[in-house]
Structures are given as C-alpha cells and as structure tokens.
Amino acid sequence: MKISISREEILPALQTVNGVVERRQTLPILSNVLLVISKDNISLTATDMEVELVATIEKTSHKTGEITLPARKLLDICKALPEEAQINLEISNDRASINSGKSRFVLSTLPAQEYPLVEFSEDKTHFQISQRNFKNILDNTAFAMAQQDVRYYLNGLLLELEGNKLRAVATDGHRLALCDTEIESRPVKPIQVIVPRKGVTELTRLLRDDERNVDVLISSNHIRLDLDGIKFTSKLVDGKFPDYTRVIPAENDTPVVANKELLRQSLTRASILSNEKYRGVRIILEPSKLRALAHNPEQEEAEEEIEVTYSGNEMEIGFNVSYLLDALNIIKTENVFITISDPNSSCLFLPENSKDCKFVVMPMRL
C-alpha cells in the first residue's frame, strides 16, 4: 500500500481527528488513527469509544487499502515537516515508512480489522440547522454541565426537539442554562437526548460561526453531524434528564435591571476577598441599589455598590459568585434582567429584550 500526499492536504484532517485521541488509552489501538485509502478519497478516523471523528480528503489513488498508525506521532511528524513538503507513505510487514525529502520515519502499525467503529442504527431523526445557531446554543449552555457527577445524566447536555425549535439545557444541580433556536426542517416527533461532555466539547470546536447548514442525525444511541468533509458521531448518555422546567422561576413585576458590565466588574472585584473554597458573596437589594459583600476566614472584607433599576422589597441573599459571573460572561446584551422573588428562591438571569436564553442560579447559605 502506497500513497503520496502533500503536508497541507493531510495536516488539517490529522489535527481535527486528533482531538478525540486520549493520551492514556486502555486499548492500544485507540491511540491510533485509521487510514483508509479508496479510489476517490482518503479517510482518517479517530475514536475514544464515545466520540468518533472521520475526516475525508478528496484524492484519487491507484492503490487501495487500510491500516492504523500512531495518531500523535503521525501528527507531530507532519507538523514538523517544512511547508509544501510532499509525504510518501508506504506500508509493508506491519511497518509504515514515511519519506519526505531527506527525512525518513518508520512507524509501527496495527491491523485495521481490529479498529472499533460506531454502528449507527437506521431508525433516526433528521433535521438541518445553521452552524452559527447550533454553536451559539452550545456555547451559551455548556458551562453549566456537571463534571464527574455521580448523577451521570448531568455530565452532559440535553438537546430537546419539538416542532421547529431546538433547545439546549445544562445543569449541575447548582445552576442551570437554557437556550432556544430554530431549525430549518421539522422532525417527525419530539425527542430528548443527552450528549456527553466530550461530545459537546468536540462539537463546539468543530462548528463554525457561519450560516452554512449542517445535517444532524439522531438515533436511539448516537448523534451524528456531517460538517464540510468531517463526520462527527457521539454516543448518547443513557439516562433521563430531570424536569428542568420546575426550577426555572417565573418572572415578576419588579426585576432588577443592571448594566451587565458594571455588575460583572463589581462582582469580580468583590470575589477577590471571598472564601476560596465556597466563593460566597452576599447580595443586598435596596430600591435603586445593589450591594455585594464578601469576606473570608482571614477577616478580610470587600464591599461593592452599583446603581440599578429596582423598586421591590429590600432583600439579602447569598450566592456562589463564580456561578453569577459565569452567567454574566455569557450574556452579551448591555443590560441584564434579574428576577429574585425571595431569599430562598432561585435567581433568574435574562438578557435584555430576549427570552431565548435563561440562566438560573441557586442561592447558598452564608
């Protein structure tokens, strides 16, 4: 098996698929990339048994075949070669010989037959969505996913399809993020699936900020996207997502309206002297005024005060300041609407003049 390809043709594909290759693998073959040479194209496949990426390069070839090569080493070799370098790859006797100019490398290989590939079931839901809209709802919610929680269904992101609306929801039990967008084609039936953290991370890396549509296929166990010569497939989390609608507070008649950037900066300053472990900050609401107080075990204190639009009752409530800042960093509008009904209830953050995204933060005892 022989192939000749330029560095510029193979390097972007290698960089894309290497994203899912873990450095420490239980199965040696998972450290490899599957190289398949057909008459019309060359495909590179990498997987960690949860997420699979396939990059296809349009290139005609007289000889066909398939083999697996060490993914990181192959990438490092191609990166280190000079620009416009021509790479000649030849496979013989379980060894891969790579020649480029006066450089020569010999890599070990493993048989392609042993490489685990995802089996995508035929029964599937199909829809189209612009890459920008899909990336936007993932970026706006992924920060609220749990990390290594025993409630494994929280270590991922819920995608909910109904009519022509796609909703993304993530929560770790302390805060929740929700974002809606419209899809191009209407699916047959409403569905809910949970995409694991690794899948969400790879998707946000692959999706582009443009209006081109992407095909999304969802089966009982997998989600698949076809993106510009790259095929992304991820397992779905087998579990039931909690009823998130019960924890979203209703909007009231006296929301706090604050300049988002002023509030973010004042909370950032107050957080400097908060307890490093619990990150607690006390928010005191008074008519037209919001104060943020923080202190730590060393008896150090910080106090911030900003003007806000608020005409409700005086109130004092504690929050993890990191959760408040995460929500404010996602909101892009000039002002932010904050609904707090009482000191024991969740706090709802809304961007100005938009109901597409909602952010909920639970209070904490201080």
Side-chain angles (χ1 to χ4, degrees), residues 149-182:
D149 198 298
V150 289
R151 297 164 294 180
Y152 60 92
Y153 45 82
L154 298 184
N155 300 323
L157 184 139
L158 175 74
L159 289 179
E160 187 176 73
L161 269 171
E162 190 167 350
N164 65 338
K165 186 175 77 175
L166 175 66
R167 171 174 287 177
V169 185
T171 180
D172 61 4
H174 304 290
R175 36 90 179 266
L176 178 143
L178 175 153
C179 200
D180 292 333
T181 190
E182 289 189 356

PDB file of all heavy atoms in Angstrom, residues 149-182:
ATOM      1  N   ASP A 149     -20.062  14.041  37.991  1.00  0.00           N
ATOM      2  CA  ASP A 149     -21.122  13.902  38.997  1.00  0.00           C
ATOM      3  C   ASP A 149     -21.606  12.449  39.015  1.00  0.00           C
ATOM      4  O   ASP A 149     -21.632  11.793  37.969  1.00  0.00           O
ATOM      5  CB  ASP A 149     -22.288  14.836  38.641  1.00  0.00           C
ATOM      6  CG  ASP A 149     -23.220  15.092  39.824  1.00  0.00           C
ATOM      7  OD1 ASP A 149     -23.824  14.119  40.318  1.00  0.00           O
ATOM      8  OD2 ASP A 149     -23.336  16.248  40.256  1.00  0.00           O
ATOM      9  N   VAL A 150     -21.967  11.950  40.194  1.00  0.00           N
ATOM     10  CA  VAL A 150     -22.488  10.569  40.268  1.00  0.00           C
ATOM     11  C   VAL A 150     -23.812  10.458  39.514  1.00  0.00           C
ATOM     12  O   VAL A 150     -24.171   9.389  39.019  1.00  0.00           O
ATOM     13  CB  VAL A 150     -22.674  10.096  41.729  1.00  0.00           C
ATOM     14  CG1 VAL A 150     -21.339   9.879  42.395  1.00  0.00           C
ATOM     15  CG2 VAL A 150     -23.521  11.075  42.526  1.00  0.00           C
ATOM     16  N   ARG A 151     -24.520  11.583  39.403  1.00  0.00           N
ATOM     17  CA  ARG A 151     -25.728  11.603  38.564  1.00  0.00           C
ATOM     18  C   ARG A 151     -25.246  11.790  37.124  1.00  0.00           C
ATOM     19  O   ARG A 151     -25.201  12.906  36.612  1.00  0.00           O
ATOM     20  CB  ARG A 151     -26.644  12.751  38.996  1.00  0.00           C
ATOM     21  CG  ARG A 151     -27.164  12.629  40.424  1.00  0.00           C
ATOM     22  CD  ARG A 151     -27.730  13.932  40.940  1.00  0.00           C
ATOM     23  NE  ARG A 151     -26.704  14.952  41.079  1.00  0.00           N
ATOM     24  CZ  ARG A 151     -26.940  16.189  41.508  1.00  0.00           C
ATOM     25  NH1 ARG A 151     -28.160  16.558  41.841  1.00  0.00           N
ATOM     26  NH2 ARG A 151     -25.961  17.064  41.606  1.00  0.00           N
ATOM     27  N   TYR A 152     -24.879  10.673  36.513  1.00  0.00           N
ATOM     28  CA  TYR A 152     -24.161  10.699  35.236  1.00  0.00           C
ATOM     29  C   TYR A 152     -24.900  11.463  34.142  1.00  0.00           C
ATOM     30  O   TYR A 152     -24.276  12.019  33.239  1.00  0.00           O
ATOM     31  CB  TYR A 152     -23.887   9.254  34.773  1.00  0.00           C
ATOM     32  CG  TYR A 152     -25.127   8.428  34.571  1.00  0.00           C
ATOM     33  CD1 TYR A 152     -25.741   8.353  33.336  1.00  0.00           C
ATOM     34  CD2 TYR A 152     -25.704   7.735  35.633  1.00  0.00           C
ATOM     35  CE1 TYR A 152     -26.904   7.610  33.152  1.00  0.00           C
ATOM     36  CE2 TYR A 152     -26.854   7.007  35.461  1.00  0.00           C
ATOM     37  CZ  TYR A 152     -27.459   6.938  34.222  1.00  0.00           C
ATOM     38  OH  TYR A 152     -28.614   6.232  34.035  1.00  0.00           O
ATOM     39  N   TYR A 153     -26.235  11.520  34.214  1.00  0.00           N
ATOM     40  CA  TYR A 153     -27.007  12.216  33.188  1.00  0.00           C
ATOM     41  C   TYR A 153     -26.800  13.736  33.232  1.00  0.00           C
ATOM     42  O   TYR A 153     -27.174  14.443  32.301  1.00  0.00           O
ATOM     43  CB  TYR A 153     -28.510  11.880  33.305  1.00  0.00           C
ATOM     44  CG  TYR A 153     -29.030  11.936  34.723  1.00  0.00           C
ATOM     45  CD1 TYR A 153     -29.404  13.143  35.315  1.00  0.00           C
ATOM     46  CD2 TYR A 153     -29.127  10.778  35.488  1.00  0.00           C
ATOM     47  CE1 TYR A 153     -29.845  13.208  36.612  1.00  0.00           C
ATOM     48  CE2 TYR A 153     -29.580  10.827  36.806  1.00  0.00           C
ATOM     49  CZ  TYR A 153     -29.945  12.045  37.359  1.00  0.00           C
ATOM     50  OH  TYR A 153     -30.391  12.106  38.644  1.00  0.00           O
ATOM     51  N   LEU A 154     -26.212  14.251  34.330  1.00  0.00           N
ATOM     52  CA  LEU A 154     -25.905  15.684  34.405  1.00  0.00           C
ATOM     53  C   LEU A 154     -24.546  16.009  33.784  1.00  0.00           C
ATOM     54  O   LEU A 154     -24.232  17.172  33.554  1.00  0.00           O
ATOM     55  CB  LEU A 154     -25.931  16.173  35.856  1.00  0.00           C
ATOM     56  CG  LEU A 154     -27.254  16.074  36.601  1.00  0.00           C
ATOM     57  CD1 LEU A 154     -27.126  16.692  37.987  1.00  0.00           C
ATOM     58  CD2 LEU A 154     -28.396  16.736  35.832  1.00  0.00           C
ATOM     59  N   ASN A 155     -23.732  14.953  33.513  1.00  0.00           N
ATOM     60  CA  ASN A 155     -22.408  15.182  32.903  1.00  0.00           C
ATOM     61  C   ASN A 155     -22.536  15.294  31.378  1.00  0.00           C
ATOM     62  O   ASN A 155     -21.762  14.720  30.628  1.00  0.00           O
ATOM     63  CB  ASN A 155     -21.454  14.031  33.240  1.00  0.00           C
ATOM     64  CG  ASN A 155     -21.256  13.886  34.738  1.00  0.00           C
ATOM     65  OD1 ASN A 155     -21.203  14.871  35.458  1.00  0.00           O
ATOM     66  ND2 ASN A 155     -21.159  12.653  35.214  1.00  0.00           N
ATOM     67  N   GLY A 156     -23.538  16.004  30.960  1.00  0.00           N
ATOM     68  CA  GLY A 156     -23.796  16.147  29.536  1.00  0.00           C
ATOM     69  C   GLY A 156     -24.781  17.264  29.311  1.00  0.00           C
ATOM     70  O   GLY A 156     -25.141  18.009  30.246  1.00  0.00           O
ATOM     71  N   LEU A 157     -25.261  17.387  28.087  1.00  0.00           N
ATOM     72  CA  LEU A 157     -26.131  18.493  27.712  1.00  0.00           C
ATOM     73  C   LEU A 157     -27.382  17.932  27.045  1.00  0.00           C
ATOM     74  O   LEU A 157     -27.297  17.095  26.140  1.00  0.00           O
ATOM     75  CB  LEU A 157     -25.362  19.426  26.768  1.00  0.00           C
ATOM     76  CG  LEU A 157     -26.049  20.708  26.324  1.00  0.00           C
ATOM     77  CD1 LEU A 157     -25.034  21.859  26.333  1.00  0.00           C
ATOM     78  CD2 LEU A 157     -26.626  20.575  24.936  1.00  0.00           C
ATOM     79  N   LEU A 158     -28.545  18.389  27.501  1.00  0.00           N
ATOM     80  CA  LEU A 158     -29.815  17.929  26.943  1.00  0.00           C
ATOM     81  C   LEU A 158     -30.127  18.689  25.659  1.00  0.00           C
ATOM     82  O   LEU A 158     -30.083  19.923  25.628  1.00  0.00           O
ATOM     83  CB  LEU A 158     -30.947  18.166  27.952  1.00  0.00           C
ATOM     84  CG  LEU A 158     -32.360  17.845  27.456  1.00  0.00           C
ATOM     85  CD1 LEU A 158     -32.581  16.339  27.382  1.00  0.00           C
ATOM     86  CD2 LEU A 158     -33.421  18.500  28.330  1.00  0.00           C
ATOM     87  N   LEU A 159     -30.423  17.946  24.589  1.00  0.00           N
ATOM     88  CA  LEU A 159     -30.956  18.540  23.357  1.00  0.00           C
ATOM     89  C   LEU A 159     -32.405  18.101  23.237  1.00  0.00           C
ATOM     90  O   LEU A 159     -32.707  16.909  23.268  1.00  0.00           O
ATOM     91  CB  LEU A 159     -30.166  18.087  22.129  1.00  0.00           C
ATOM     92  CG  LEU A 159     -28.748  18.636  21.974  1.00  0.00           C
ATOM     93  CD1 LEU A 159     -28.090  18.071  20.727  1.00  0.00           C
ATOM     94  CD2 LEU A 159     -28.721  20.164  21.931  1.00  0.00           C
ATOM     95  N   GLU A 160     -33.296  19.080  23.109  1.00  0.00           N
ATOM     96  CA  GLU A 160     -34.729  18.798  23.065  1.00  0.00           C
ATOM     97  C   GLU A 160     -35.302  19.361  21.768  1.00  0.00           C
ATOM     98  O   GLU A 160     -35.162  20.551  21.478  1.00  0.00           O
ATOM     99  CB  GLU A 160     -35.398  19.448  24.275  1.00  0.00           C
ATOM    100  CG  GLU A 160     -36.849  19.099  24.459  1.00  0.00           C
ATOM    101  CD  GLU A 160     -37.392  19.721  25.750  1.00  0.00           C
ATOM    102  OE1 GLU A 160     -37.591  20.958  25.776  1.00  0.00           O
ATOM    103  OE2 GLU A 160     -37.607  18.979  26.717  1.00  0.00           O
ATOM    104  N   LEU A 161     -35.928  18.492  20.995  1.00  0.00           N
ATOM    105  CA  LEU A 161     -36.515  18.875  19.706  1.00  0.00           C
ATOM    106  C   LEU A 161     -38.023  18.861  19.801  1.00  0.00           C
ATOM    107  O   LEU A 161     -38.612  17.879  20.245  1.00  0.00           O
ATOM    108  CB  LEU A 161     -36.112  17.863  18.631  1.00  0.00           C
ATOM    109  CG  LEU A 161     -34.846  18.120  17.830  1.00  0.00           C
ATOM    110  CD1 LEU A 161     -34.538  16.878  17.009  1.00  0.00           C
ATOM    111  CD2 LEU A 161     -35.016  19.301  16.905  1.00  0.00           C
ATOM    112  N   GLU A 162     -38.645  19.968  19.380  1.00  0.00           N
ATOM    113  CA  GLU A 162     -40.107  19.996  19.313  1.00  0.00           C
ATOM    114  C   GLU A 162     -40.515  21.011  18.262  1.00  0.00           C
ATOM    115  O   GLU A 162     -40.123  22.185  18.323  1.00  0.00           O
ATOM    116  CB  GLU A 162     -40.711  20.352  20.671  1.00  0.00           C
ATOM    117  CG  GLU A 162     -42.208  20.154  20.687  1.00  0.00           C
ATOM    118  CD  GLU A 162     -42.795  20.201  22.094  1.00  0.00           C
ATOM    119  OE1 GLU A 162     -42.030  20.206  23.078  1.00  0.00           O
ATOM    120  OE2 GLU A 162     -44.024  20.242  22.187  1.00  0.00           O
ATOM    121  N   GLY A 163     -41.301  20.550  17.257  1.00  0.00           N
ATOM    122  CA  GLY A 163     -41.682  21.435  16.156  1.00  0.00           C
ATOM    123  C   GLY A 163     -40.449  21.901  15.409  1.00  0.00           C
ATOM    124  O   GLY A 163     -39.603  21.100  15.020  1.00  0.00           O
ATOM    125  N   ASN A 164     -40.338  23.221  15.235  1.00  0.00           N
ATOM    126  CA  ASN A 164     -39.140  23.751  14.558  1.00  0.00           C
ATOM    127  C   ASN A 164     -38.198  24.412  15.557  1.00  0.00           C
ATOM    128  O   ASN A 164     -37.439  25.316  15.210  1.00  0.00           O
ATOM    129  CB  ASN A 164     -39.534  24.743  13.457  1.00  0.00           C
ATOM    130  CG  ASN A 164     -40.193  25.984  14.028  1.00  0.00           C
ATOM    131  OD1 ASN A 164     -40.713  25.963  15.142  1.00  0.00           O
ATOM    132  ND2 ASN A 164     -40.174  27.069  13.282  1.00  0.00           N
ATOM    133  N   LYS A 165     -38.239  23.941  16.823  1.00  0.00           N
ATOM    134  CA  LYS A 165     -37.401  24.538  17.871  1.00  0.00           C
ATOM    135  C   LYS A 165     -36.443  23.500  18.438  1.00  0.00           C
ATOM    136  O   LYS A 165     -36.818  22.362  18.704  1.00  0.00           O
ATOM    137  CB  LYS A 165     -38.290  25.101  18.986  1.00  0.00           C
ATOM    138  CG  LYS A 165     -37.524  25.867  20.055  1.00  0.00           C
ATOM    139  CD  LYS A 165     -38.456  26.507  21.054  1.00  0.00           C
ATOM    140  CE  LYS A 165     -38.993  25.499  22.040  1.00  0.00           C
ATOM    141  NZ  LYS A 165     -39.825  26.096  23.101  1.00  0.00           N
ATOM    142  N   LEU A 166     -35.190  23.909  18.605  1.00  0.00           N
ATOM    143  CA  LEU A 166     -34.181  23.082  19.265  1.00  0.00           C
ATOM    144  C   LEU A 166     -33.764  23.795  20.541  1.00  0.00           C
ATOM    145  O   LEU A 166     -33.400  24.974  20.513  1.00  0.00           O
ATOM    146  CB  LEU A 166     -32.955  22.878  18.355  1.00  0.00           C
ATOM    147  CG  LEU A 166     -31.774  22.119  18.977  1.00  0.00           C
ATOM    148  CD1 LEU A 166     -32.152  20.675  19.272  1.00  0.00           C
ATOM    149  CD2 LEU A 166     -30.557  22.158  18.052  1.00  0.00           C
ATOM    150  N   ARG A 167     -33.824  23.070  21.663  1.00  0.00           N
ATOM    151  CA  ARG A 167     -33.456  23.654  22.960  1.00  0.00           C
ATOM    152  C   ARG A 167     -32.281  22.892  23.547  1.00  0.00           C
ATOM    153  O   ARG A 167     -32.234  21.664  23.499  1.00  0.00           O
ATOM    154  CB  ARG A 167     -34.659  23.580  23.909  1.00  0.00           C
ATOM    155  CG  ARG A 167     -34.349  23.944  25.352  1.00  0.00           C
ATOM    156  CD  ARG A 167     -35.600  24.003  26.197  1.00  0.00           C
ATOM    157  NE  ARG A 167     -36.367  25.209  25.869  1.00  0.00           N
ATOM    158  CZ  ARG A 167     -37.544  25.499  26.424  1.00  0.00           C
ATOM    159  NH1 ARG A 167     -38.096  24.674  27.298  1.00  0.00           N
ATOM    160  NH2 ARG A 167     -38.173  26.611  26.091  1.00  0.00           N
ATOM    161  N   ALA A 168     -31.320  23.645  24.085  1.00  0.00           N
ATOM    162  CA  ALA A 168     -30.184  23.051  24.798  1.00  0.00           C
ATOM    163  C   ALA A 168     -30.315  23.417  26.276  1.00  0.00           C
ATOM    164  O   ALA A 168     -30.579  24.579  26.610  1.00  0.00           O
ATOM    165  CB  ALA A 168     -28.864  23.573  24.236  1.00  0.00           C
ATOM    166  N   VAL A 169     -30.140  22.431  27.157  1.00  0.00           N
ATOM    167  CA  VAL A 169     -30.232  22.665  28.607  1.00  0.00           C
ATOM    168  C   VAL A 169     -29.079  21.952  29.297  1.00  0.00           C
ATOM    169  O   VAL A 169     -28.775  20.799  28.986  1.00  0.00           O
ATOM    170  CB  VAL A 169     -31.566  22.124  29.185  1.00  0.00           C
ATOM    171  CG1 VAL A 169     -31.695  22.502  30.666  1.00  0.00           C
ATOM    172  CG2 VAL A 169     -32.763  22.634  28.409  1.00  0.00           C
ATOM    173  N   ALA A 170     -28.437  22.638  30.237  1.00  0.00           N
ATOM    174  CA  ALA A 170     -27.378  22.017  31.039  1.00  0.00           C
ATOM    175  C   ALA A 170     -27.531  22.466  32.481  1.00  0.00           C
ATOM    176  O   ALA A 170     -27.891  23.619  32.751  1.00  0.00           O
ATOM    177  CB  ALA A 170     -25.997  22.405  30.514  1.00  0.00           C
ATOM    178  N   THR A 171     -27.271  21.552  33.408  1.00  0.00           N
ATOM    179  CA  THR A 171     -27.325  21.898  34.832  1.00  0.00           C
ATOM    180  C   THR A 171     -26.381  20.996  35.618  1.00  0.00           C
ATOM    181  O   THR A 171     -26.149  19.852  35.228  1.00  0.00           O
ATOM    182  CB  THR A 171     -28.758  21.774  35.394  1.00  0.00           C
ATOM    183  OG1 THR A 171     -28.741  22.113  36.788  1.00  0.00           O
ATOM    184  CG2 THR A 171     -29.302  20.366  35.239  1.00  0.00           C
ATOM    185  N   ASP A 172     -25.845  21.527  36.710  1.00  0.00           N
ATOM    186  CA  ASP A 172     -25.036  20.695  37.612  1.00  0.00           C
ATOM    187  C   ASP A 172     -25.698  20.596  38.993  1.00  0.00           C
ATOM    188  O   ASP A 172     -25.085  20.171  39.968  1.00  0.00           O
ATOM    189  CB  ASP A 172     -23.615  21.253  37.743  1.00  0.00           C
ATOM    190  CG  ASP A 172     -23.586  22.669  38.312  1.00  0.00           C
ATOM    191  OD1 ASP A 172     -24.671  23.185  38.679  1.00  0.00           O
ATOM    192  OD2 ASP A 172     -22.492  23.274  38.379  1.00  0.00           O
ATOM    193  N   GLY A 173     -26.962  21.016  39.068  1.00  0.00           N
ATOM    194  CA  GLY A 173     -27.690  20.968  40.335  1.00  0.00           C
ATOM    195  C   GLY A 173     -27.616  22.261  41.122  1.00  0.00           C
ATOM    196  O   GLY A 173     -28.424  22.500  42.011  1.00  0.00           O
ATOM    197  N   HIS A 174     -26.629  23.123  40.800  1.00  0.00           N
ATOM    198  CA  HIS A 174     -26.476  24.411  41.485  1.00  0.00           C
ATOM    199  C   HIS A 174     -26.859  25.586  40.589  1.00  0.00           C
ATOM    200  O   HIS A 174     -27.224  26.650  41.079  1.00  0.00           O
ATOM    201  CB  HIS A 174     -25.031  24.613  41.951  1.00  0.00           C
ATOM    202  CG  HIS A 174     -24.535  23.515  42.833  1.00  0.00           C
ATOM    203  ND1 HIS A 174     -24.987  23.329  44.110  1.00  0.00           N
ATOM    204  CD2 HIS A 174     -23.634  22.526  42.608  1.00  0.00           C
ATOM    205  CE1 HIS A 174     -24.385  22.285  44.650  1.00  0.00           C
ATOM    206  NE2 HIS A 174     -23.555  21.775  43.757  1.00  0.00           N
ATOM    207  N   ARG A 175     -26.761  25.378  39.286  1.00  0.00           N
ATOM    208  CA  ARG A 175     -27.151  26.421  38.329  1.00  0.00           C
ATOM    209  C   ARG A 175     -27.622  25.730  37.056  1.00  0.00           C
ATOM    210  O   ARG A 175     -27.338  24.540  36.836  1.00  0.00           O
ATOM    211  CB  ARG A 175     -25.996  27.398  38.031  1.00  0.00           C
ATOM    212  CG  ARG A 175     -24.593  26.849  37.972  1.00  0.00           C
ATOM    213  CD  ARG A 175     -23.974  26.368  36.887  1.00  0.00           C
ATOM    214  NE  ARG A 175     -22.622  25.877  36.930  1.00  0.00           N
ATOM    215  CZ  ARG A 175     -21.556  26.602  36.656  1.00  0.00           C
ATOM    216  NH1 ARG A 175     -21.634  27.875  36.445  1.00  0.00           N
ATOM    217  NH2 ARG A 175     -20.389  26.009  36.581  1.00  0.00           N
ATOM    218  N   LEU A 176     -28.362  26.473  36.233  1.00  0.00           N
ATOM    219  CA  LEU A 176     -28.931  25.898  35.014  1.00  0.00           C
ATOM    220  C   LEU A 176     -28.847  26.926  33.887  1.00  0.00           C
ATOM    221  O   LEU A 176     -29.015  28.126  34.120  1.00  0.00           O
ATOM    222  CB  LEU A 176     -30.389  25.496  35.272  1.00  0.00           C
ATOM    223  CG  LEU A 176     -31.200  24.918  34.107  1.00  0.00           C
ATOM    224  CD1 LEU A 176     -32.143  23.817  34.611  1.00  0.00           C
ATOM    225  CD2 LEU A 176     -32.018  25.986  33.384  1.00  0.00           C
ATOM    226  N   ALA A 177     -28.569  26.438  32.677  1.00  0.00           N
ATOM    227  CA  ALA A 177     -28.549  27.295  31.491  1.00  0.00           C
ATOM    228  C   ALA A 177     -29.450  26.679  30.428  1.00  0.00           C
ATOM    229  O   ALA A 177     -29.420  25.465  30.209  1.00  0.00           O
ATOM    230  CB  ALA A 177     -27.122  27.440  30.961  1.00  0.00           C
ATOM    231  N   LEU A 178     -30.259  27.529  29.796  1.00  0.00           N
ATOM    232  CA  LEU A 178     -31.197  27.072  28.766  1.00  0.00           C
ATOM    233  C   LEU A 178     -31.137  28.028  27.588  1.00  0.00           C
ATOM    234  O   LEU A 178     -31.070  29.241  27.772  1.00  0.00           O
ATOM    235  CB  LEU A 178     -32.604  27.034  29.366  1.00  0.00           C
ATOM    236  CG  LEU A 178     -33.805  26.700  28.487  1.00  0.00           C
ATOM    237  CD1 LEU A 178     -34.910  26.068  29.343  1.00  0.00           C
ATOM    238  CD2 LEU A 178     -34.370  27.924  27.770  1.00  0.00           C
ATOM    239  N   CYS A 179     -31.162  27.478  26.369  1.00  0.00           N
ATOM    240  CA  CYS A 179     -31.114  28.337  25.184  1.00  0.00           C
ATOM    241  C   CYS A 179     -31.902  27.689  24.050  1.00  0.00           C
ATOM    242  O   CYS A 179     -31.799  26.479  23.820  1.00  0.00           O
ATOM    243  CB  CYS A 179     -29.663  28.563  24.758  1.00  0.00           C
ATOM    244  SG  CYS A 179     -29.460  30.013  23.711  1.00  0.00           S
ATOM    245  N   ASP A 180     -32.700  28.493  23.342  1.00  0.00           N
ATOM    246  CA  ASP A 180     -33.532  28.006  22.230  1.00  0.00           C
ATOM    247  C   ASP A 180     -33.044  28.576  20.907  1.00  0.00           C
ATOM    248  O   ASP A 180     -32.505  29.686  20.856  1.00  0.00           O
ATOM    249  CB  ASP A 180     -34.994  28.454  22.421  1.00  0.00           C
ATOM    250  CG  ASP A 180     -35.657  27.765  23.602  1.00  0.00           C
ATOM    251  OD1 ASP A 180     -35.233  26.649  23.940  1.00  0.00           O
ATOM    252  OD2 ASP A 180     -36.601  28.351  24.180  1.00  0.00           O
ATOM    253  N   THR A 181     -33.282  27.821  19.839  1.00  0.00           N
ATOM    254  CA  THR A 181     -33.040  28.319  18.483  1.00  0.00           C
ATOM    255  C   THR A 181     -33.973  27.589  17.534  1.00  0.00           C
ATOM    256  O   THR A 181     -34.592  26.581  17.893  1.00  0.00           O
ATOM    257  CB  THR A 181     -31.569  28.115  18.061  1.00  0.00           C
ATOM    258  OG1 THR A 181     -31.337  28.823  16.850  1.00  0.00           O
ATOM    259  CG2 THR A 181     -31.239  26.642  17.828  1.00  0.00           C
ATOM    260  N   GLU A 182     -34.087  28.120  16.307  1.00  0.00           N
ATOM    261  CA  GLU A 182     -34.960  27.486  15.314  1.00  0.00           C
ATOM    262  C   GLU A 182     -34.143  26.593  14.393  1.00  0.00           C
ATOM    263  O   GLU A 182     -32.978  26.867  14.120  1.00  0.00           O
ATOM    264  CB  GLU A 182     -35.699  28.543  14.492  1.00  0.00           C
ATOM    265  CG  GLU A 182     -36.766  29.272  15.289  1.00  0.00           C
ATOM    266  CD  GLU A 182     -37.621  30.163  14.413  1.00  0.00           C
ATOM    267  OE1 GLU A 182     -37.337  30.270  13.206  1.00  0.00           O
ATOM    268  OE2 GLU A 182     -38.572  30.757  14.954  1.00  0.00           O
TER     269      GLU A 182
END
